[in-house]
Amino acid sequence: MRIGFIGLGAMGFPMARHLAREHEVVVWNRTAEKAERHAREHGSKLASELAATADTDVLITMLPTSREVDEIVDQLLPHVKPGTLWIDATSGDPNVSKLTAARLAEKGVAFVDAPVTGATVGAENATLTIMVGGSAADFERARDVLRLCGKTIIHAGETGAGHAIKVLTNSIMGATVWMTAECLLVAKRYGIDLKTALAITNAGSGRSNASENLLPMRLLEHKWPLVFKLAHHDKDIRIASSLAHAQHASTPMLALTQQLFTASLNELGEGADYIEVAKVIAAMNGTSWD
Ligand code: NDP
């Protein structure tokens, strides 16, 4: 199979590497050096220009938001071939995805939204969970490709359903990270050793991915790697809030989480990692985790 892959960022780069083990993968990236390195090191083919990615059976986009995907669709629309499957692995906006699917359908191109979860480590190890929105037939076609990047691939529903559940599940994670960090800060202030507080949390009902994996390294070892941009997490929670709004759902926790993450992004800036919201919680309390 010939696959065009657009967007070799933290997630896209390793995903395209796995695909290149079995398929002919044509890579394009805005910053060309990354695509050149991919071709050099991982046996993919460097697209001479963006349009060259369209001469393929499958196109994959892995970009920050639906806005960038839309820009790429605009540019590729004159070049796409009928019968192509477009897989958008971006954590995007389901409403935009439906419009994109309709635009591509006019050209005979099928579209699925297929965002991923599992972080950069999941992309590196091909253990991602991938949630797909689209028809059953297109899901089967997409699964045949995506199985090289992920371990669990689930059909979420019709077009947009993958993007919808992705932003909702990330909102759950955001609220959990925030609440866990808040309660750990109170424990510390009360005089309980942070390591002990985490050990008890992880042996009890407050246990989560945040308490087991995400927070200990940051709070105990003071290592704050950039693995998932806060800007991307904020974008996901804002999309989730807009879904709730559109459905007239009463979701005060979601609204509060969105406000806290947007405030944190404004405070920390575009370069921050999402777990750095814990620093904002500390600052709100006139302290730090050091
Ligand atoms: P990165 O910021 O690392 O990569 C973004 C990619 O998009 C880069 O290849 C970048 O190109 C490209 N890009 C940005 N703007 C444009 C543009 N205007 N036109 C064309 N290309 C553009 O992001 P991630 O890989 O971390 O995230 C990608 C998606 O995956 C996001 O939707 C994110 O929410 C989601 N996600 C991320 C996870 C993570 O842990 N990082 C986990 C799960 C999902 P360039 O190299 O030139 O900057």
Side-chain angles (χ1 to χ4, degrees), residues 8-11 29-31 34 63-64 91 227 229 232 235:
L8 301 171
M11 300 296 285
N29 194 67
R30 179 181 62 174
T31 307
K34 283 189 204 168
L63 298 169
S91 297
V227 291
K229 289 176 184 157
H232 288 169
K235 168 257 306 179

Side-chain angles (χ1 to χ4, degrees), residues 182-194 197 287 289:
E182 263 188 18
C183 290
L184 288 170
L185 183 129
V186 177
K188 185 171 180 251
R189 205 167 250 206
Y190 185 80
I192 299 169
D193 173 64
L194 203 47
T287 184
W289 294 101

Side-chain angles (χ1 to χ4, degrees), residues 132-144:
V132 183
S135 73
D138 293 337
F139 166 69
E140 290 304 332
R141 278 180 79 190
R143 179 161 60 178
D144 195 37

